[in-house]
């Protein structure tokens, strides 16, 4: 076993990860087996993901283990909604007061909307009553789900935007992992010259957040965290030269053919498949894709897949990347047994559950964890290494402010389709200013 200390800066806060030993909340006996289903209270949890996502099997294992071992007189039933449909589905359920007991949620401004609508249970007292549980979370993670000094959601993982790449293709053309943006351009140019599509990137309307993630990553490497913070607190402008430069660089890449043919009509699943089968040299997404890419049953090219952080345009902002907490859960006011729902979240963040999700599904925990490096797949190990090298993580804008973030997403899709960059960000800034009037 090996202890790792990895320090992350999420926005303005430090977040250390993978240190110490977390405790398990599971029971040693299958206490539920003695009870008939009719005697148990049924709780529902809504998960974000498709059946094709390998990690969904891991989530179901965690829930199954909890159902077998808890002594709370409950059984948890899961339903999963695809990422493209999740926000619409949950918003509709919240509006009709038909939301499930426990929900997947994003952090920051996204959950805040439901907190302000009195839809979510505060978890502060449960954390205060269990100091060991509260202290097991890495610095800066619970803060992402804290409103008016009370925690309303529990993060289970950490994540960041990464560039996956095919090591065999890189070796074939004597390419090194780029450490500067100029080197990245040279890699893409070399691949193009040899008839290889450099990058798979989803860019449909449902996957707009991936294009905005790419442009946000470029802006992180142009002007850094200070610029991100200025947009987040409203002192900066969306048509700042840094954002315009990021948009123009992206559009130049599109015009050079760095992305797959017709990429603006390619879904996340299609882009992933193109890369996983060796049709492209790279694939831009998030660290959560590890479980879809690290085994040959999911990705034919799995043994050749590794990853790196997108290099900064300006080297002074190296190791500034898009990232945050991931797979957070909140308990709704509809919950039939809040105490039992809290016990599920305690188990989900225990060492036992974290081990299942990390070793088998590449889900990087945000709690203290004594990690056995020998159990990691090479891709998961590399993703953890890359994350540990980052100095700053900037959360996605549609998590900070859902409405404004979605406008940013839509703006970037327009840019992908050839809209004038300056005009696009001028319009976005005008939208921001009209909201504040």
């Amino acid at each position: 076993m090996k202890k790792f200390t990895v320090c992350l800066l999420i926005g303005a806060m430090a977040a250390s990860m993978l240190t110490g030993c977390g405790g398990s909340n599971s029971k040693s006996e299958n206490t539920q087996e003695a009870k008939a289903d009719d005697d148990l209270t049924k709780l529902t949890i809504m998960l974000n993901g498709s059946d094709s996502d390998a990690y969904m099997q891991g989530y179901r294992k965690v829930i199954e283990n909890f159902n077998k071992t808890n002594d709370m007189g409950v059984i948890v039933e899961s339903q999963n909604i695809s990422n493209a449909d999740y926000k619409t589905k949950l918003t509709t359920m919240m509006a009709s007061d038909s939301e499930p007991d426990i929900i997947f949620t994003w952090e920051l401004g996204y959950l805040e909307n439901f907190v302000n609508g009195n839809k979510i249970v505060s978890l502060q007292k449960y954390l205060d009553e269990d100091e060991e549980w509260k202290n097991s979370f890495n610095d800066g993670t619970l803060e992402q789900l804290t409103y008016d000094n009370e925690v309303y959601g529990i993060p289970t993982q950490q994540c960041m935007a990464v560039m996956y790449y095919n090591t065999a293709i890189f070796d074939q053309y004597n390419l090194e992992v780029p450490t500067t943006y100029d080197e990245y351009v040279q890699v893409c140019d070399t691949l193009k010259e040899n008839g290889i599509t450099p990058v798979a990137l989803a860019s449909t309307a449902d996957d707009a957040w991936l294009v905005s993630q790419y442009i946000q990553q470029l802006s992180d490497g142009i002007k850094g965290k200070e610029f991100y913070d200025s947009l987040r607190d409203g002192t900066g402008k969306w048509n700042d030269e840094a954002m315009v430069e990021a948009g123009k660089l992206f559009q130049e890449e599109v015009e050079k053919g760095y992305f797959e043919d017709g990429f603006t009509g390619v879904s996340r699943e299609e882009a992933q498949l193109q890369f996983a089968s060796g049709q492209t040299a790279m694939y831009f997404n998030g660290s959560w894709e590890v479980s879809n890419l690290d085994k040959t049953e999911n990705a034919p090219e799995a043994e050749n897949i590794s990853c790196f952080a997108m290099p900064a345009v300006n080297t002074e902002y190296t190791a500034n990347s898009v990232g945050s907490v991931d797979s957070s859960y909140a308990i709704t006011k509809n919950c039939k047994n809040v105490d039992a729902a809290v016990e599920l979240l305690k188990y989900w963040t225990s060492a036992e559950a974290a081990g299942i999700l990390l070793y088998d599904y590449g889900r990087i925990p945000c709690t203290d964890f004594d990690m056995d490096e020998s159990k990691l797949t090479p891709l998961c190990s590399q993703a953890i290494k890359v994350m540990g090298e980052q100095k700053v993580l900037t959360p996605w804008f549609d998590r900070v402010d859902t409405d404004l973030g979605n406008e940013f997403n839509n703006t970037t899709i327009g840019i992908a389709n050839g809209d004038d960059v300056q005009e696009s960000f001028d319009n976005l800034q005008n939208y921001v200013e009209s909201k504040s009037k």
Side-chain angles (χ1 to χ4, degrees):
M1 305 292 284
K2 183 176 181 181
K3 286 187 179 180
F4 286 77
T5 301
V6 181
C7 294
L8 302 179
L9 207 64
I10 301 179
M13 293 168 285
S16 62
M17 66 176 284
L18 304 178
T19 61
C21 300
S24 171
N25 293 291
S26 65
K27 309 297 179 183
S28 60
E29 299 178 0
N30 293 348
T31 57
Q32 297 290 58
E33 292 181 356
K35 297 183 179 181
D37 282 353
D38 290 344
D39 296 331
L40 300 173
T41 298
K42 290 183 173 60
L43 300 182
T44 55
I45 182 170
M46 195 159 82
L47 308 173
N48 179 11
S50 304
D51 288 337
S52 60
D53 290 315
Y55 60 78
M56 194 56 62
Q57 182 181 358
Y59 292 173
R60 289 170 181 151
K61 282 184 181 179
V62 170
I63 293 168
E64 180 182 351
N65 287 352
F66 178 77
N67 285 340
K68 288 180 178 179
T69 59
N70 83 83
D71 58 3
M72 303 294 292
V74 301
I75 187 167
V76 178
E77 297 178 343
S78 67
Q79 56 178 297
N80 57 289
I81 310 296
S82 70
N83 185 73
D85 297 327
Y86 192 88
K87 289 181 180 178
T88 300
K89 177 74 171 178
L90 182 58
T91 300
T92 300
M93 296 176 82
M94 287 290 193
S96 61
D97 200 30
S98 59
E99 62 271 15
D101 301 277
I102 308 159
I103 59 168
F104 165 94
T105 183
W106 291 276
E107 69 281 13
L108 300 168
Y110 182 83
L111 182 60
E112 185 176 25
N113 292 326
F114 298 131
V115 171
N116 291 341
N118 197 32
K119 292 287 188 177
I120 305 298
V121 174
S122 171
L123 303 177
Q124 192 63 48
K125 75 168 186 174
Y126 296 97
L127 289 160
D128 290 341
E129 290 169 357
D130 190 339
E131 289 286 331
E132 183 178 359
W133 185 39
K134 181 168 68 173
N135 293 333
S136 71
F137 292 92
N138 297 325
D139 294 342
T141 53
L142 288 178
E143 285 84 345
Q144 305 292 312
L145 295 139
T146 299
Y147 312 92
D148 292 331
N149 299 314
E150 295 200 15
V151 177
Y152 282 84
I154 297 298
T156 65
Q157 292 148 34
Q158 294 184 154
C159 61
M160 64 170 283
V162 296
M163 184 66 82
Y164 296 95
Y165 73 104
N166 188 307
T167 58
I169 293 176
F170 269 50
D171 289 345
Q172 182 178 354
Y173 298 104
N174 297 314
L175 298 173
E176 301 288 339
V177 170
T179 58
T180 67
Y181 183 73
D182 286 343
E183 290 177 359
Y184 173 69
V185 169
Q186 291 169 9
V187 166
C188 291
D189 287 343
T190 299
L191 291 165
K192 282 290 295 178
E193 290 166 4
N194 287 278
I196 305 296
T197 300
V199 183
L201 176 68
S203 186
T204 66
D206 286 338
D207 301 301
W209 61 273
L210 279 165
V211 179
S212 71
Q213 172 181 278
Y214 195 100
I215 292 178
Q216 183 180 340
Q217 182 67 57
L218 288 172
S219 72
D220 277 355
I222 291 170
K223 205 170 181 179
K225 176 180 172 292
E226 181 180 351
F227 175 57
Y228 170 85
D229 286 344
S230 74
L231 292 179
R232 180 172 174 174
D233 65 22
T235 60
K237 293 185 181 296
W238 288 88
N239 55 359
D240 183 276
E241 60 183 10
M243 188 62 80
V244 173
E245 181 183 351
K248 287 182 176 180
L249 285 176
F250 173 67
Q251 208 164 69
E252 286 176 11
E253 293 179 21
V254 174
E255 292 168 355
K256 289 179 180 178
Y258 286 1
F259 306 104
E260 70 273 25
D261 289 342
F263 84 101
T264 54
V266 174
S267 70
R268 181 185 70 87
E269 291 79 7
E270 292 167 332
Q272 179 196 102
L273 179 60
Q274 288 187 26
F275 171 71
S277 58
Q279 297 176 54
T280 70
M282 293 177 281
Y283 170 54
F284 187 68
N285 206 297
S287 55
W288 53 79
E289 290 285 76
V290 165
S291 62
N292 291 324
L293 298 171
D294 67 351
K295 298 179 181 64
T296 53
E297 56 263 36
N298 301 323
E301 289 289 312
E303 65 181 14
N304 297 320
I305 295 175
S306 190
C307 65
F308 60 89
M310 270 284 285
V313 176
N314 297 321
T315 54
E316 64 186 291
Y317 300 116
T318 295
N320 282 231
S321 293
V322 179
S324 187
V325 297
D326 193 26
S327 294
S328 300
Y329 295 92
I331 300 171
T332 72
K333 290 291 183 73
N334 278 353
C335 185
K336 294 177 284 293
N337 188 329
V338 173
D339 289 347
V342 169
E343 287 302 310
L344 171 65
L345 298 184
K346 285 187 179 183
Y347 175 66
W348 203 301
T349 51
S350 70
E352 179 179 314
I356 292 171
L357 295 174
L358 174 62
Y359 300 135
D360 296 337
Y361 302 97
R363 313 300 280 183
I364 301 171
C366 63
T367 48
D368 293 349
F369 190 71
D370 197 4
M371 182 171 62
D372 186 344
E373 194 175 17
S374 69
K375 294 182 179 180
L376 299 174
T377 65
L379 180 57
C380 184
S381 180
Q382 177 64 11
I384 291 172
K385 179 177 182 292
V386 169
M387 187 177 292
E389 292 169 347
Q390 302 313 298
K391 299 174 183 176
V392 172
L393 290 182
T394 63
W396 290 257
F397 284 119
D398 60 1
R399 300 185 184 191
V400 176
D401 183 312
T402 302
D403 177 60
L404 179 54
N406 287 336
E407 286 295 320
F408 174 58
N409 293 351
N410 294 334
T411 297
T412 62
I413 285 291
I415 291 171
N417 282 286
D419 289 353
D420 183 82
V421 175
Q422 182 70 61
E423 182 179 352
S424 296
F425 284 122
D426 286 345
N427 290 338
L428 180 57
Q429 180 59 30
N430 289 337
Y431 177 81
V432 173
E433 292 173 2
S434 69
K435 281 190 64 178
S436 63
K437 291 180 179 178

